């Protein structure tokens, strides 16, 4: 990866991290019914990061959990936000061919 691509990757990661932290803090419309919260737009940064890079998505998921913690949500909701990392680790393992993805033949 050349230096320009590294800088671009780091910049996108920083922007998405900032968005992931800010959305739970400043979103005016929140519904909290433990163990869930309904915060509009809280997954936007994670979805964009998933399309760009699995490693970027893992970092943004951690930042999003930190944003929910800083916003004062109950720990159950913070852990639920952090639980998205398990899906992303699974996706990363598919990309690295550690775990073969399921196919139609394997399901029968």
């Amino acid at each position: 990866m050349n230096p320009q691509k590294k800088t671009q990757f780091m910049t996108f990661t920083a922007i998405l991290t900032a968005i992931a932290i800010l959305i739970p803090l400043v979103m005016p419309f929140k519904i909290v019914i433990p163990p869930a919260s309904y915060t509009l737009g809280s997954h936007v940064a994670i979805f964009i990061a998933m399309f760009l890079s699995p490693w970027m998505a893992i970092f943004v998921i951690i930042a999003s959990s930190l944003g929910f913690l800083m916003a004062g949500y109950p720990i159950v909701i913070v852990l639920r936000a952090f639980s998205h990392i398990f899906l992303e680790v699974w996706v990363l393992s598919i990309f690295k061919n550690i775990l073969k993805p399921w196919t139609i033949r394997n399901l029968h």
Side-chain angles (χ1 to χ4, degrees):
M1 188 181 284
N2 64 19
Q4 183 178 2
K5 291 288 184 183
K6 287 182 184 179
T7 305
Q8 186 178 15
F9 180 83
M10 189 170 54
T11 305
F12 282 145
T13 305
I15 290 170
L16 292 174
T17 299
I19 291 170
I21 291 173
L22 284 177
I23 285 176
L25 289 172
V26 299
M27 189 58 66
F29 182 70
K30 304 174 196 176
I31 299 173
V32 178
I33 304 171
S37 75
Y38 304 99
T39 306
L40 288 177
S42 61
H43 289 90
V44 171
I46 295 171
F47 289 150
I48 294 172
M50 282 181 183
F51 283 115
L52 296 176
S53 165
W55 290 109
M56 185 185 298
I58 288 173
F59 194 78
V60 171
I61 289 169
I62 293 169
S64 175
S65 302
L66 181 64
F68 276 98
L69 183 66
M70 290 180 355
Y73 284 92
I75 194 69
V76 174
I77 295 173
V78 174
L79 292 175
R80 186 186 153 283
F82 185 74
S83 71
H84 291 89
I85 202 162
F86 296 115
L87 173 68
E88 192 56 38
V89 168
W90 181 69
V91 169
L92 183 62
S93 68
I94 289 173
F95 282 140
K96 295 294 183 181
N97 290 326
I98 296 170
L99 178 69
K100 298 293 181 193
W102 294 315
T103 61
I104 301 296
R105 288 179 291 171
N106 292 344
L107 295 176
H108 294 297

